[in-house]
Amino acid sequence: MVASLTLLIIELNEKDRSLGNAKYLVAIVLVFLSAMMVSTLKYPSFKSLGLRSTSTFAKAIIAALLLGFILVLPKIVYYVVPAFFTLYLLYGFIRPRISRKVRHEIEEEDEEEEAESQPISPK
């Protein structure tokens, strides 16, 4: 989040755009992120993406398309990446308010993934 905001500010300065009062927003975001580092909010784990699964062909195609999109429109990255990280940060606050059924399904998948990844120790 911090790096993406820094790149966005550099991009805006290169285009001679002034941040105005938004320059104070960066300091507020940094203080907020510092507090979030010690918070107890739960965020989804990316371990469930299954990058080592057998269906890697489809994932490779998607990754190639994303990389191509970034190479074709490189300036859009400066705006999309901070927006993505901001949405992910806000999701931590929204997640507890999601229905129990949906939340249970998400947590159940995480627990199953963790159980499968733990080695079985001989007794």
Side-chain angles (χ1 to χ4, degrees), residues 5-25:
L5 285 176
T6 303
L7 289 174
L8 177 63
I9 291 169
I10 291 171
E11 175 69 16
L12 291 175
N13 282 335
E14 286 179 357
K15 291 184 175 184
D16 293 327
R17 292 186 181 170
S18 175
L19 291 177
N21 289 333
K23 62 185 175 188
Y24 301 113
L25 183 65

Side-chain angles (χ1 to χ4, degrees), residues 2 29 44 48 51 59 61 63-64 78 80-81 87 93 99 105 115 121:
V2 175
V29 168
S48 64
L51 294 176
K59 292 176 185 174
I61 296 295
Y78 296 113
V80 172
V81 173
L87 290 174
F93 292 100
S99 70
E105 289 175 3
S121 60

Side-chain angles (χ1 to χ4, degrees), residues 18-92:
S18 175
L19 291 177
N21 289 333
K23 62 185 175 188
Y24 301 113
L25 183 65
V26 175
I28 293 169
V29 168
L30 290 176
V31 170
F32 178 71
L33 288 174
S34 299
M36 288 298 295
M37 291 181 75
V38 294
S39 73
T40 58
L41 287 177
K42 291 185 179 184
Y43 285 89
S45 171
F46 290 110
K47 292 184 277 184
S48 64
L49 286 178
L51 294 176
R52 296 184 185 189
S53 67
T54 58
S55 64
T56 57
F57 181 72
K59 292 176 185 174
I61 296 295
I62 292 171
L65 289 173
L66 286 174
L67 182 62
F69 181 72
I70 290 171
L71 292 174
V72 171
L73 300 170
K75 296 294 181 181
I76 199 168
V77 173
Y78 296 113
Y79 302 99
V80 172
V81 173
F84 173 75
F85 285 128
T86 302
L87 290 174
Y88 183 72
L89 182 67
L90 293 175
Y91 178 71

